Amino acid sequence: MYSSKELELLELLEEKGYLETKMLADLLALDEETIESMLEKFKQDGILLGFRAMVNWQKINRHDVTAFIDVKVTPKRGRGFDDVAERIYRFPEVTALYLMSGAYDLQVVIRANSLQDVASFVSDKLSPLDSVLSTTTHFKLKTYKHDGILFTPQTEDKRLNITP
């Protein structure tokens, strides 16, 4: 089990991203060695997986394509969905892969240069896999919020209040 300080550290890292060890120590009222020890433990336990910047590519007109592909598969006896998931997440285009409840079993997220590249991925790599029964592809048109971060500035509502 993890202490309240360890959980507090994880929450802080999740909210703020990477911070210097000294800053973390000051915020949590701990010494730097304790923070470093906690971070190393989280890495060894597979809890702290890394740090990434959240970039709004829409602001610089980068025209890549993000696709969400719902996949219905036949699970393997004794392994469930893990074998087919492993085959799928090894493709370099795949940025995320989730086991889902509902009509489809897996959701594959890919980033590509064009719609044609997405189509090629689905037809040449994903659909030919033995376990794949069907796919449905959706395309991201615009990001409003991701991982709790707003991508569009909040605007003040300038409409007049209506009162009876």
Side-chain angles (χ1 to χ4, degrees), residues 3 13-14 17-18 25 31 41 45 51-52 55 57 74 91-92 96 100-101 115 118 124 129 131 134 141 153:
S3 71
L13 291 171
E14 184 178 48
Y18 177 79
D31 58 80
K41 182 177 187 248
D45 291 348
F51 296 97
R52 298 195 96 170
V55 178
W57 291 108
T74 303
F91 292 121
M100 306 295 289
S101 64
L115 296 175
V118 174
D124 299 343
L129 295 176
S131 298
S134 66
L141 302 177

Side-chain angles (χ1 to χ4, degrees), residues 64-81:
D64 60 348
V65 176
T66 300
F68 302 88
I69 307 165
D70 296 328
V71 184
K72 189 164 207 47
V73 300
T74 303
K76 297 286 184 190
R77 177 165 292 211
R79 291 277 299 147
F81 297 99

Side-chain angles (χ1 to χ4, degrees), residues 9 21 24-25 28 30-39:
L9 174 59
T21 306
L24 291 168
L28 296 173
L30 296 170
D31 58 80
E32 291 183 52
E33 293 78 26
T34 301
I35 295 294
E36 289 172 3
S37 172
M38 292 163 72
L39 292 173

